[in-house]
Amino acid sequence: MKWFIDILTVWFHELKRIIHDEGVLLFFFVVPLLYPLLYSYLYNNEIVTEVPAIVVDDSHSSLSREFIRKVDATADIKIIGQCADMEEAKEMMHHNNAYAIIYIPSSFANDIAEGMQTSICLYSDMSGFLYYKAIYSACTEVSLDMNYDIKAERLGGASERQIETFSYPLAYRYVPMFNTQSGFASFLIPAILILIIQQTMILGVGMLAGDERERLNKGETYYWTDNIKPVQMLFGRAGAYWCIYAVISVYLVCIIPDIFHLVHIWQWKTLLPFMATYLTACVFFSMALSILSRDRESLILVFVFMSIPLLFMSGLSWPVQNMPLIWKILSHLFPSTFGITGYIRISEMGALIPDIHYELTALCTQSVVYFIITCLLYRRRFRKNLHTADNNVC
Amino acid sequence: MSNNTFFALVVRECKRMTSRPLYLFCMIIAPALVFVFFTTMMSNGLPTDIPVAVVDEDNTSVTRQVIRNLDAFQQTEITAQYNNFAEAREAMQRGEIYAFYYIPEGTTEQALASRQPVVSFYTSASYIIPSSLEYRDMKMMSEYASGALTRATLYAQGLSEQQAMAVLQPIKIEMFPVNNPRLNYSVYLCNTMLPGILMLLILQITIFSIYGEIKEETAKEWLSASDNNIIKALTSKMLPQFVIWFIMTLLYMAIMYGYYQFPLNCSFIAMLIPATLLILASQGLALFICAMVPSLRWALSLATLWGVLSFPISGFSFPYIAFPAPMKALSFLFPLRHYFLIYASQALNGLSWHYTWINYVFILLFIILPFFVVNRLKTFLSEYHYTI
């Protein structure tokens, strides 16, 4: 019982330390509260619409005008101007920030009238992939639509069903699953939410450890030198971080997706054990890392830039199967790798515990390994400090 | 005499930098590792052999041919066959596949009888890149399969291939991705991400090195060593750091434009200039933040916020035109946004710098920003004490 009360004392002390440290509060509360809002707000439009484009219509026919009108009417593209030739169009594109040129050749209407195949050329600016995607899909849709009418005319007198079967003897259907509108926020925000937990925890815990180290160097003492074992220290502190982040996690994985209407179809019975394991792995990971922290600020420099490679290591944007082996191995060191994949599957894809078996096992292994490392490091430091304390007395 | 003190100050700064492994790590090891990480990870340009599955309930020689054709696409690799839809969906939830192609029973028979069967394909849109690549491959495959059937009928009626295509697809869309014909994903990410990460580190290290003087209570000594001339003190501190940042800039440019041959439709120098200005702008912004926010913690946090937010707000992944209006306005305050526009205009589209002169002006503004607040900075350096 005494053993347990000691842990509670450490737990309480640690919470008090956190509350009185402005810098730690910043990482534990302000960053997790604000960053997701900022990011979600930025990405909240989810998809690109009305990409500005320029038309060069050499055909000057009613068919070409129909094409332009229909493209302009799509949600993806907005025609901002027409030019006489390609040179003029290029100039206009670079000055007016348009992202595509739609070129309709002079033979366009004639080819169709003569029953020949004709083509429309799209030149797309490649500074962003989403422009390309929007332009391509809008023009393809319009062309398929017009092709249908042209075929109907050619097959004169055929029923709609006949035209349909003739042009598509085998019809197909595309279904994007989970993130049904292929939205950017639904793609990126869940990963950012999970990454924020790990990153802010490392920074906050690192700052607390650095603070302790600085105070120690100045000759101040620990508040716990009396009879408390390193393991109890470790449990007490880990408990404090865990409890704080349990609250933060509720905000991140329950409230934020709700506010910004992101896909979240998780079930409690899957999400709870998963998040609990993820938090445990993060807590021991940051405690083990905090040993590196010589002063209050250094871990900020070492760990903030890592967020971006970490996001990629999760395989969110570049498939894991295509990653060089060395980065794949490295990615296994970080809880965020499994946290992100696991959470996306649970939250967006409706996965259940058996589906995320691998991620859960990995997070459990990480928890155990980092727990042991932290134990060893704490014991070493504890002994060393007793030593120095003795020396000071002498 | 003054040259001598300046040189002594530079030596002093170099000693400070070598005194802590933190500088070595954040200025050389970390950026170099990140450059290598991103470029090697995406060295193929596009992911190849994305694992997908097939649910072939029909299982005839025709459907097997369709599956073989799909497998032959460079981006696609069929890693599994499932018996039904539910099994495939579960494999997707386990993350084993990114997409699957579903052929219901009776497809071949119905197609031969002109009853228009429907096949479908499903992609896991939570992963945008593999999902859109699989969408492209599977759509192309379906168009091809469908076209092959009609073409057979048309050929039988005596039409030439050209005539058949005209009947099948009167209007064809031809897409020309200008200057990145292979849709290399690495080109479009690394060109902004690598300078962005370097910029984040510059912001942090600059602030850390200035406030380090306050924290270690060496600020007064530093100022008096530079004859109480704040400009001299700052330049002597920024110069050795700048040299290292410049070398790191050369490194990422060498990796991208030299080793990986990313499109560079202007001269190397024409791109080195904005990259160098970006270093100076980051240092300028950091000094400005130092002067305006008199606390290491808050200055560092603000710089970090700026650095991290630079990535989304520069608009290289999620495009600028889809931002909410306030964010559009805010994006002008981020040097990386201007750098991205200059890069897209010069290196990608091969235009002259005239087209982006306004962005150069903005970057230059960041560089001169600290000169407006040097006195404020001096006061802080001589009077401020570090508190926890």
Side-chain angles (χ1 to χ4, degrees), chain A residues 208-275:
Chain A
L208 284 168
D211 182 72
E212 193 174 66
R213 202 103 169 243
E214 275 182 36
R215 283 177 197 278
L216 213 70
N217 288 344
K218 280 186 194 154
E220 291 178 38
T221 45
Y222 286 104
Y223 60 83
W224 46 273
T225 31
D226 47 342
N227 279 339
I228 293 178
K229 291 196 179 66
V231 174
Q232 289 169 303
M233 276 292 307
L234 194 154
F235 274 124
R237 288 185 167 185
Y241 309 143
W242 205 94
C243 290
I244 290 176
Y245 270 86
V247 180
I248 299 287
S249 300
V250 172
Y251 167 76
L252 288 176
V253 304
C254 305
I255 298 175
I256 287 282
D258 216 49
I259 299 178
F260 291 98
H261 307 291
L262 306 173
V263 183
H264 55 295
I265 53 170
W266 41 259
Q267 297 176 3
W268 283 111
K269 63 175 201 263
T270 321
L271 189 71
L272 273 182
F274 177 77
M275 286 308 288

Side-chain angles (χ1 to χ4, degrees), chain B residues 189-209:
Chain B
L189 278 189
C190 292
N191 268 303
T192 317
M193 206 130 69
L194 304 190
I197 286 179
L198 195 65
M199 185 190 145
L200 174 64
L201 287 165
I202 297 174
L203 288 173
Q204 292 185 327
I205 283 287
T206 309
I207 288 175
F208 190 76
S209 67

Side-chain angles (χ1 to χ4, degrees), chain A residues 195-204 303-304 306-307 310:
Chain A
L195 189 62
I196 281 178
I197 294 179
Q198 177 190 294
Q199 295 299 87
T200 55
M201 201 191 285
I202 291 174
L203 299 181
F303 253 86
V304 171
M306 287 277 289
S307 311
L310 284 179

Side-chain angles (χ1 to χ4, degrees), chain B residues 21-49:
Chain B
L22 186 69
Y23 285 103
L24 175 73
F25 180 78
C26 289
M27 298 179 82
I28 296 171
I29 299 175
L33 269 180
V34 172
F35 298 162
V36 173
F37 172 77
F38 280 112
T39 46
T40 51
M41 188 168 82
M42 298 183 284
S43 59
N44 284 338
L46 274 183
T48 50
D49 295 332

Side-chain angles (χ1 to χ4, degrees), chain A residues 22-23 26 35 38-39 41-43 45-48 51-52 67 91 94-95 99 108 112 115-132 136 139 141 143 146-147 150-151 154 161 164-179 182-184 187 207 211 214-215 294-298 300-302 304-305 308-309 312-313 315-324 327 341 344-345 348-351 355, chain B residues 20 22 25-26 30 34 37-38 40-42 44-48 51 89 92-95 98 107 114-131 135 139 142-143 145-146 149-150 154 165-178 180 183 185 188-189 193 200-201 204-205 208 215 296-298 300-301 304-305 308-309 311-312 316-324 326-327 340 344 348-349 351 355 386 388:
Chain A
E22 204 185 308
L26 181 73
Y35 268 59
L38 216 54
Y39 273 89
Y41 176 61
L42 187 64
Y43 293 142
N45 282 340
E46 290 269 19
I47 48 171
V48 202
V51 175
F67 183 84
E91 200 57 32
H94 297 137
H95 275 296
Y99 296 94
F108 180 73
I112 292 173
M116 277 161 38
Q117 190 177 35
T118 187
S119 44
I120 286 176
C121 302
L122 301 180
Y123 299 88
S124 130
D125 179 281
M126 289 308 290
S127 62
F129 261 41
L130 293 184
Y131 299 133
Y132 171 86
Y136 180 67
C139 289
E141 287 309 312
S143 79
M146 283 181 67
N147 281 346
I150 296 167
K151 278 182 224 171
R154 283 189 190 159
R161 178 74 191 158
E164 182 76 4
T165 330
F166 172 73
S167 31
Y168 283 103
L170 180 71
Y172 63 86
R173 202 160 51 117
Y174 168 55
V175 187
M177 285 174 93
F178 314 125
N179 173 7
S182 296
F184 205 81
F187 153 70
M207 189 170 257
D211 182 72
E214 275 182 36
R215 283 177 197 278
R294 259 177 57 180
D295 55 39
R296 290 174 56 90
E297 292 85 11
S298 48
I300 305 180
L301 276 74
V302 177
V304 171
F305 82 91
I308 297 135
F312 275 80
M313 275 187 201
L316 179 70
S317 119
W318 192 262
V320 190
Q321 289 83 355
N322 267 269
M323 246 182 241
W327 304 127
T341 9
I344 289 180
R345 292 216 196 111
E348 285 203 340
M349 306 165 68
D355 300 324
Chain B
R20 287 195 64 173
L22 186 69
F25 180 78
C26 289
V34 172
F37 172 77
F38 280 112
T40 51
M41 188 168 82
M42 298 183 284
N44 284 338
L46 274 183
T48 50
R89 194 206 66 221
M92 200 125 101
Q93 282 170 328
R94 282 194 303 273
Y98 289 94
T107 300
S114 295
R115 287 212 306 272
Q116 204 188 27
V118 182
V119 294
S120 25
F121 48 96
Y122 300 79
T123 66
S124 173
S126 298
Y127 295 90
I128 280 193
I129 307 298
S131 165
Y135 160 71
K139 185 182 165 115
S142 314
E143 284 281 343
S146 177
L149 288 166
T150 320
L154 292 172
M165 282 318 289
V167 175
L168 272 175
Q169 197 185 16
I171 304 173
K172 193 169 96 188
I173 297 288
E174 283 186 51
M175 191 79 194
F176 299 93
V178 181
N180 187 358
L183 306 181
Y185 194 64
Y188 124 94
L189 278 189
M193 206 130 69
L200 174 64
L201 287 165
Q204 292 185 327
I205 283 287
F208 190 76
K215 192 170 176 180
L296 171 55
R297 179 159 60 240
W298 289 102
L300 206 52
S301 305
T304 305
L305 173 71
V308 172
L309 210 56
F311 293 96
F316 72 98
S317 52
F318 189 65
Y320 173 82
I321 54 170
F323 290 173
M327 285 297 190
F340 165 69
L348 193 66
N349 292 329
L351 300 176
Y355 287 87
Y386 179 83
I388 284 172

Side-chain angles (χ1 to χ4, degrees), chain B residues 284-301:
Chain B
L285 182 63
L287 291 177
F288 182 74
I289 293 176
C290 265
M292 300 315 286
V293 187
S295 139
L296 171 55
R297 179 159 60 240
W298 289 102
L300 206 52
S301 305

